[in-house]
Amino acid sequence: MENNCFGKKLKDLRIEKGISQRELGNALGFCNQTVSFWESGQREPDLDSLVMIARYFDVSADYLLGLSDY
């Protein structure tokens, strides 16, 4: 994803919620390394994972992808 917008938003949401990468990974069924890869832009989530993340943080997938402001 361009400029790793997704990774930046994911990290900001995670920090705002006060949870670690491990805690987020556990909540979503992923290892903390996967969360780290997403945040750093080394990997991108598949569609199902993107939807799970959006639901977990109660934001839109468009927001996570940088297509909207909320």
Side-chain angles (χ1 to χ4, degrees), residues 4-59:
N4 192 27
C5 180
F6 169 79
K8 290 175 187 174
K9 289 189 181 282
L10 178 61
K11 184 175 183 178
D12 289 345
L13 288 167
R14 180 180 59 76
I15 290 171
E16 183 179 306
K17 195 169 180 93
I19 59 173
S20 67
Q21 290 178 340
R22 183 175 308 279
E23 290 170 316
L24 178 57
N26 287 341
L28 299 175
F30 300 101
C31 69
N32 64 303
Q33 188 174 14
T34 299
V35 176
S36 176
F37 284 153
W38 289 339
E39 288 184 0
S40 68
Q42 293 178 9
R43 293 194 185 152
E44 298 174 353
D46 63 19
L47 183 57
D48 289 337
S49 300
L50 180 66
V51 171
M52 285 180 14
I53 294 164
R55 286 182 177 157
Y56 180 81
F57 286 110
D58 195 26
V59 297

